[in-house]
Amino acid sequence: MELFYCHFFLLSVLELCQFGSILSYPAECVLPFPRSYVVYHLGEQETIDIDGKLDDKAWALVSWTEDFIDIQGTDWKKPRFRTHAKMRWDDKYLYIGAFLQETDVWANQTKHDSVVYLDNDFEVFMDPDGDTHWYKEFEINAINTTWDLELNKPYLNGGTPNNSWEMPSMKSAIYVSGPVDDPSVKDKFWSVELALPFSDLVDHSPTASAPPRNKDQWRINFSRVEWHVRDVRGHYEKIPNVPEDNWVWSSQDAINMHLPERWGFIQFSTDAVNKSEFVRTPNWPVYSGLVMLYDAEKKFMAVNGYFTANLTQLEIPASLRTGQCPYEPAVQVEKTYNFGATVKPLDQRLPVGHIRDDRLIWFSDTKRHLEI
Ligand SMILES: *[C@@H]1O[C@H](CO)[C@@H](O)[C@H](O)[C@H]1NC(C)=O
Ligand SMILES: *[C@@H]1O[C@H](CO)[C@@H](O)[C@H](O)[C@H]1NC(C)=O
Ligand SMILES: *[C@@H]1O[C@H](CO)[C@@H](O)[C@H](O)[C@H]1NC(C)=O
Ligand SMILES: *[C@@H]1O[C@H](CO)[C@@H](O)[C@H](O)[C@H]1NC(C)=O
Ligand SMILES: *[C@@H]1O[C@H](CO)[C@@H](O)[C@H](O)[C@H]1NC(C)=O
Ligand SMILES: *[C@@H]1O[C@H](CO)[C@@H](O)[C@H](O)[C@H]1NC(C)=O
């Protein structure tokens, strides 16, 4: 952890190098760190009334996430409406409050578990144990229609969504600053208020705790789908042949939310609001190595029709091959169509990372507090 601090944050010298010397390595050894947010536990007197209005004192105390950006990355056009969110937690729920600036609020889907993203929506993706499998997805539109589902693995890995997965004690509400589906009146925004039960969120995540412990970290991402509409005789209709916009908290650099390895991090805290620092996992370099090997193997397979254990054949940064990274990468190929990659940290206090061709990620020491 301290090595990691040394390298990534030039904080105070004291904090810096209590343990050993500064380890330096090429920047290409690590992927950019995703967005992060500290979620503060509600105080004893604090409550959140799920009515769609983010007017509870418990919300006023905590900061917003960064504004959402286009899913294709920061170089892409800035979204035309602002979106940001806040989070809190108690022993039962993860609370999410989201603000969606909007001049034209409309919604058509009315049935629970219908395809909500056919409307403008707000979406939450959660992978409590950070292994990229068995993650949860939640969508809601401006008339409180919800869709909750669980995916055994990402679609790209042959995953199947389970729509029967439910969060029976979930609470949700929407507030709209104006009418819904009335083009004659311009709205200002809609807001989403959610209470998602931990007991359901940790389904199939045996190493994640419900409720979380202080300092636990989960992978999470938010996204907003926004269609282009026009006024047709007093109602909104989609403009034909114009694709929807996708705005996210932390950019995916691809139009695909189903890349859990790129989601943001939330860190649960029982400290007083604003009293915790987000701590980057010391496993991030190893995690980065795993993801780079995985992506390179998939690319190699697409061209050659098989996986390779020969790192020279892979499109990976040169430093991974030349031993300049703070870890040793290796790939084992089984029967041409399966591979497993192992990334061993040079710092032997850290666990060894593994990734499989189905994207499953795990660390040899899975009882650790931080899963990744
Ligand atoms: C915490 O930090 C945020 C962002 O700077 C600020 O808006 C908020 O008022 C702070 N809360 C407290 C309780 O200090
Ligand atoms: C889908 O989820 C439900 C509820 O958790 C569960 O009972 C069912 O077995 C799951 N179906 C599959 C195919 O996993
Ligand atoms: C919104 O949906 C929730 C279920 O998530 C339900 O409990 C609540 O009553 C709904 N609110 C309104 C205003 O329909
Ligand atoms: C909503 O549904 C109505 C009725 O099917 C349809 O005419 C309209 O185009 C839909 N609105 C949008 C924005 O898709
Ligand atoms: C969500 O994805 C973006 C893209 O990775 C990623 O950078 C961001 O870290 C992920 N988080 C979320 C929320 O979007
Ligand atoms: C690995 O691949 C490189 C480039 O194709 C090749 O030159 C080298 O001989 C291969 N090494 C082994 C052990 O097969």
Side-chain angles (χ1 to χ4, degrees):
M1 169 158 325
E2 284 71 25
L3 290 178
F4 201 71
Y5 257 142
C6 286
H7 192 70
F8 282 90
F9 310 98
L10 297 175
L11 291 179
S12 77
V13 175
L14 262 183
E15 199 163 2
L16 258 174
C17 295
Q18 295 171 36
F19 290 75
S21 56
I22 295 184
L23 184 70
S24 79
Y25 47 80
E28 65 185 15
C29 295
V30 290
L31 294 172
F33 199 82
R35 295 281 197 211
S36 61
Y37 184 92
V38 177
V39 187
Y40 290 96
H41 197 279
L42 291 179
E44 262 174 37
Q45 309 300 323
E46 288 175 326
T47 53
I48 291 178
D49 180 25
I50 303 294
D51 60 359
K53 294 186 203 153
L54 308 182
D55 55 359
D56 314 77
K57 183 156 175 266
W59 287 130
L61 294 174
V62 297
S63 54
W64 291 102
T65 63
E66 295 85 355
D67 288 349
F68 291 17
I69 57 171
D70 193 279
I71 196 167
Q72 292 165 94
T74 36
D75 296 341
W76 209 255
K77 198 167 81 226
K78 195 175 162 211
R80 57 189 189 285
F81 294 126
R82 183 178 204 189
T83 315
H84 53 184
K86 292 182 175 191
M87 285 165 269
R88 299 292 309 256
W89 65 297
D90 63 15
D91 290 347
K92 216 167 158 202
Y93 292 109
L94 171 63
Y95 296 92
I96 299 173
F99 168 92
L100 298 88
Q101 184 188 16
E102 178 62 78
T103 51
D104 306 287
V105 178
W106 63 275
N108 267 351
Q109 305 298 322
T110 54
K111 274 178 54 195
H112 177 63
D113 282 352
S114 55
V115 181
V116 170
Y117 68 73
L118 293 175
D119 291 348
N120 290 347
D121 76 355
F122 177 76
E123 307 180 353
V124 187
F125 294 76
M126 286 156 291
D127 183 15
D129 61 6
D131 65 355
T132 80
H133 282 204
W134 296 108
Y135 60 93
K136 321 298 183 294
E137 179 173 351
F138 174 85
E139 304 189 357
I140 188 166
N141 67 8
I143 53 172
N144 197 33
T145 302
T146 57
W147 183 14
D148 46 12
L149 62 157
E150 181 178 46
L151 282 106
N152 55 345
K153 49 191 168 177
Y155 291 112
L156 284 174
N157 301 95
T160 35
N162 183 352
N163 279 320
S164 309
W165 183 81
E166 293 297 318
M167 295 184 277
S169 60
M170 179 226 3
K171 294 188 258 182
S172 73
I174 299 290
Y175 171 77
V176 184
S177 74
V180 176
D181 201 22
D182 181 356
S184 69
V185 182
K186 288 297 169 196
D187 301 298
K188 289 197 176 65
F189 68 91
W190 56 292
S191 51
V192 176
E193 206 167 26
L194 304 173
L196 307 181
F198 288 121
S199 54
D200 296 320
L201 297 180
V202 301
D203 188 31
H204 284 108
S205 307
T207 58
S209 155
R213 294 155 296 199
N214 185 37
K215 297 188 173 144
D216 275 2
Q217 293 189 349
W218 287 14
R219 301 304 293 275
I220 190 168
N221 226 337
F222 300 116
S223 136
R224 168 178 182 179
V225 168
E226 180 79 13
W227 294 91
H228 294 259
V229 293
R230 62 185 179 193
D231 176 356
V232 178
R233 291 181 299 278
H235 290 287
Y236 291 110
E237 284 195 10
K238 284 179 190 163
I239 300 174
N241 306 318
V242 178
E244 80 280 14
D245 290 323
N246 293 270
W247 299 328
V248 301
W249 174 37
S250 167
S251 150
Q252 298 282 134
D253 294 321
I255 309 178
N256 185 351
M257 281 304 285
H258 296 268
L259 303 171
E261 70 276 14
R262 304 189 192 199
W263 294 351
F265 280 87
I266 55 173
Q267 174 177 310
F268 294 95
S269 172
T270 52
D271 292 342
V273 169
N274 294 351
K275 296 296 181 208
S276 292
E277 289 288 340
F278 179 84
V279 178
R280 294 188 182 199
T281 168
N283 298 332
W284 189 251
V286 166
Y287 191 91
S288 299
L290 295 171
V291 172
M292 286 189 271
L293 287 176
Y294 174 90
D295 287 345
E297 284 289 354
K298 289 285 167 166
K299 220 168 158 184
F300 184 87
M301 165 61 102
V303 175
N304 299 286
Y306 61 93
F307 292 121
T308 179
N310 182 346
L311 298 188
T312 314
Q313 295 183 311
L314 292 177
E315 262 183 59
I316 47 175
S319 311
L320 268 76
R321 274 192 288 266
T322 51
Q324 290 169 281
C325 293
Y327 51 78
E328 287 168 18
V331 175
Q332 304 85 40
V333 175
E334 291 156 36
K335 289 176 265 153
T336 313
Y337 299 116
N338 293 98
F339 78 86
T342 308
V343 174
K344 227 175 163 176
L346 298 186
D347 180 346
Q348 290 176 0
R349 292 170 298 182
L350 299 175
V352 176
H354 308 265
I355 193 165
R356 255 177 12 198
D357 54 274
D358 65 355
R359 206 185 291 257
L360 185 76
I361 293 178
W362 74 100
F363 283 81
S364 53
D365 178 12
T366 48
K367 287 197 188 64
R368 282 172 55 83
H369 217 48
L370 304 175
E371 298 310 333
I372 88 129

